[in-house]
Amino acid sequence: MTAFRSGFAAVVGRPNVGKSTLVNRIVGTKVSITSPRPNTTRSQVRGVLDRPDAQVVFVDTPGLHKPRTALGARMNESASSSLDDVDVVVAMVEATGPVGIGDRMVLSQSVRRVRSSAETEPALMVVVNKIDRVGANSVLTQLASVAEAVDSVEPAGGPPVPAEYFPVSAANGDGVAELVESIVTRLPEGPRYYPEGMVTDVAEAFWVADLVREELLRRVEDELPHSIACRVTEWEWPRVRCEILVERPSQKGIVIGRGGNVLKEVGTAVRRQMPDGAFLELFVRVERHWQQRDDALDRLGL
């Protein structure tokens, strides 16, 4: 009889590298919101891959970046802490550009986390994403550059960290099955951590608030996404009330739209993703400098 394997895999990378798209692809349904905007993911989201032979809990994380706000600092802390007590570290970079400072920071943190975990011995999987956007020669060049960056992480002259490299396209699924199989083989024998059929541990209220923010990000101007926060303030099914926070009065008008058209579009799009019969109320409120205020971040659960 084949042993059942289970464990946790943290997916880390800089903003917009495709972490949420990869987790959604692996799990087979949307458990994390996505958008072309950087820093769409603001907190850890767990997606569960449940198979007859294994259960893998993927931890989707905020993009590691140079923070300019208290929110940014918390997001970095959330991403870094995801590397604690996991069985596999999945470090992602893109195939579409050179290995930059942000990528090196991600790789460095990942390598050092593996080096410092002699007891748990997490595996390091390095994923080069978005191979569908470049040619085969570019992919090979990028793989070589990434491997060089991993091997150069201090301490210089120390033993290299064993890493596996996977060129993938999270968007169309190329190479993802091979990545998943390798992750499963590196997991220890263990029990299911979540019931069969459960794909995420995200609370419904949190999920609805994130859906509202996702739909807003598709419609607002470039400077506004970071200033938007959403939270469900009332849940008396089928009535759900979601509050949208912005930082300036001028932003409130943008979010509402002419004649309320933006809010109407957002509400319609989100209700399509909720169970039938849901009644979603959206309200917009100005809360100045919420990104810089610990009390506001605590209240928002960020």
Side-chain angles (χ1 to χ4, degrees):
M1 182 176 178
T2 304
F4 188 84
R5 297 179 179 274
S6 63
F8 291 77
V11 184
V12 294
R14 58 181 176 77
N16 269 23
V17 76
K19 300 178 296 298
S20 297
T21 302
L22 178 65
V23 172
N24 290 344
R25 169 70 63 177
I26 291 172
V27 174
T29 189
K30 184 166 77 171
V31 296
S32 286
I33 65 170
T34 61
S35 87
R37 316 289 189 176
N39 297 125
T40 299
T41 301
R42 287 178 171 170
S43 56
Q44 294 181 17
V45 175
R46 290 175 176 83
V48 183
L49 173 65
D50 200 42
R51 310 191 330 184
D53 62 330
Q55 185 180 83
V56 191
V57 183
F58 288 91
V59 185
D60 187 17
T61 63
L64 286 164
H65 63 291
K66 185 176 182 180
R68 293 182 172 84
T69 64
L71 171 62
R74 288 198 182 194
M75 289 165 62
N76 271 1
E77 183 180 351
S78 176
S80 297
S81 67
S82 73
L83 299 176
D84 297 334
D85 302 320
V86 296
D87 303 285
V88 179
V89 175
V90 180
M92 290 185 69
V93 300
E94 292 179 330
T96 54
V99 180
I101 295 174
D103 297 311
R104 291 182 182 278
M105 177 179 67
V106 169
L107 296 171
S108 177
Q109 285 201 27
S110 300
V111 169
R112 287 172 178 160
R113 171 69 184 97
V114 172
R115 275 193 177 133
S116 66
S117 305
E119 294 182 4
T120 57
E121 297 183 350
L124 177 60
M125 312 284 183
V126 181
V127 171
V128 176
N129 189 30
K130 305 182 183 180
I131 61 171
D132 53 303
R133 301 186 184 181
V134 299
N137 289 338
S138 295
V139 172
L140 292 174
T141 300
Q142 188 75 332
L143 286 168
S145 298
V146 172
E148 182 180 359
V150 169
D151 291 341
S152 67
V153 176
E154 294 180 350
V161 168
E164 297 180 56
Y165 296 86
F166 297 87
V168 310
S169 168
N172 65 26
D174 288 347
V176 173
E178 291 81 1
L179 169 66
V180 171
E181 290 305 318
S182 186
I183 290 173
V184 169
T185 63
R186 300 302 298 268
L187 297 180
E189 295 182 19
R192 278 187 169 86
Y193 291 98
Y194 293 93
E196 291 185 60
M198 188 173 181
V199 295
T200 183
D201 61 357
V202 173
E204 281 188 278
F206 178 89
W207 175 237
V208 170
D210 251 10
L211 289 177
V212 171
R213 187 163 60 88
E214 179 183 43
E215 294 300 331
L216 282 169
L217 294 183
R218 299 181 190 278
R219 293 167 172 83
V220 299
E221 300 173 8
D222 288 343
E223 70 273 12
L224 193 53
H226 298 299
S227 296
I228 294 174
C230 301
R231 64 168 183 162
V232 169
T233 56
E234 294 180 32
W235 187 289
E236 296 181 2
W237 190 258
R239 179 178 173 272
V240 178
R241 185 185 194 274
C242 184
E243 184 178 70
I244 301 165
L245 300 184
V246 294
E247 294 186 300
R248 298 193 301 273
S250 60
Q251 296 172 339
K252 183 175 181 179
I254 295 172
V255 167
I256 293 173
R258 186 182 298 273
N261 67 307
V262 173
L263 278 192
K264 290 175 184 176
E265 290 179 7
V266 168
T268 299
V270 173
R271 279 192 294 273
R272 291 195 191 105
Q273 301 175 72
M274 297 174 67
D276 291 341
F279 180 72
L280 179 64
E281 297 177 305
L282 301 178
F283 294 84
V284 185
R285 183 167 66 84
V286 177
E287 181 152 347
R288 294 185 180 275
H289 309 301
W290 68 262
Q291 291 186 80
Q292 296 285 9
R293 291 169 38 210
D294 287 331
D295 65 317
L297 298 176
D298 290 340
R299 191 168 64 254
L300 292 165
L302 297 171

